[in-house]
Amino acid sequence: QAPLKESGGGSVQAGGSLRLTCFASGYPGSWNYCLGWFRQSEGSDRTEVAGIDNAGRTTYARSVKGRFTISKDFPKNILYLQMNNLKPEDSAIYSCAARRCGNTEYSVWGQGTQVTVSS
């Protein structure tokens, strides 16, 4: 399986913005792959933040809706997560993931990138 590679994490003050990038060249929408962003903070389960299917339709967790935007450069197979108005509770390791759109479970994961939001 081709790797997924995230970048763009870092530290920011509350109210700030970050954009995460995931290089997903092995998982194009034309091959019926859906992509998503997940996050996991210490002591918590990993949760899905946002997803995008092979037609560009998006879904968001309630906690980030209106603040985060998932998008994809389909020709280049690069996935983005624009995060605005960040809050301390958004601090976590963010990972991108891929699945066949007909499956509910994600099967390929990146290593993650740390996002830290200070108050």
Side-chain angles (χ1 to χ4, degrees):
Q1 289 178 323
L4 296 170
K5 179 63 177 174
E6 306 94 341
S7 65
S11 298
V12 65
Q13 289 191 325
S17 299
L18 285 172
R19 188 176 79 158
L20 305 183
T21 300
C22 174
F23 296 93
S25 60
Y27 307 95
S30 58
W31 292 0
N32 200 31
Y33 278 101
C34 291
L35 301 175
W37 285 102
F38 288 72
R39 68 185 181 188
Q40 185 172 22
S41 54
E42 191 171 349
S44 299
D45 293 333
R46 184 167 57 192
T47 59
E48 186 170 3
V49 173
I52 187 166
D53 70 10
N54 56 346
R57 291 178 291 247
T58 59
T59 57
Y60 294 94
R62 185 178 301 178
S63 60
V64 307
K65 201 166 187 178
R67 299 188 297 123
F68 291 11
T69 302
I70 187 171
S71 62
K72 183 180 177 184
D73 183 330
F74 279 87
K76 296 182 180 178
N77 292 310
I78 300 174
L79 182 70
Y80 300 101
L81 185 68
Q82 178 66 43
M83 304 184 294
N84 297 330
N85 191 22
L86 282 160
K87 304 175 181 180
E89 53 264 41
D90 294 319
S91 297
I93 296 175
Y94 284 72
S95 303
C96 61
R99 62 178 172 88
R100 290 286 189 180
C101 292
N103 297 336
T104 56
E105 299 294 323
Y106 285 82
S107 57
V108 185
W109 297 85
Q111 290 191 331
T113 184
Q114 177 71 49
V115 171
T116 303
V117 185
S118 58
S119 58

